[in-house]
Amino acid sequence: MNKNDIAGIGKLSRYRLSEVLRKVRGGCITPKKVAQFLNVSRTQARTFLSSWAANGWLFRVRQGVY
């Protein structure tokens, strides 16, 4: 395990997730919000959300909502 990895999440992914959580300030997270906050495409945002959920860092409420 790399010293920058914490429970399966890398430093860059951890940074991205923290930015999203900081900007969302509670409530639901959607690919649209992630794309806006991180300045990435919605496709990339969906990939981030799916990965975070698969690793247990977020929970999917329903399709496209975390």
Side-chain angles (χ1 to χ4, degrees), residues 13 16-17 20 24 29-54 58 60 63-66:
S13 189
R16 288 176 177 145
L17 179 56
V20 170
V24 126
I29 301 170
T30 63
K32 181 179 179 179
K33 289 179 182 178
V34 172
Q36 177 186 359
F37 297 154
L38 299 180
N39 196 30
V40 297
S41 70
R42 284 196 191 176
T43 300
Q44 186 64 53
R46 285 191 294 272
T47 301
F48 291 155
L49 287 165
S50 176
S51 175
W52 295 332
L58 290 178
R60 184 174 166 215
Q63 185 175 354
V65 180
Y66 295 82

Side-chain angles (χ1 to χ4, degrees), residues 2 4-5 8-10 13-15 18 20 22 24 26-28 31 37-38 41 48 54-55 57 59-60 65-66:
N2 185 320
N4 292 324
D5 291 342
I9 190 168
S13 189
R14 189 169 58 246
Y15 170 78
S18 69
V20 170
R22 185 175 59 80
V24 126
C28 295
F37 297 154
L38 299 180
S41 70
F48 291 155
N55 287 303
W57 288 90
F59 293 97
R60 184 174 166 215
V65 180
Y66 295 82

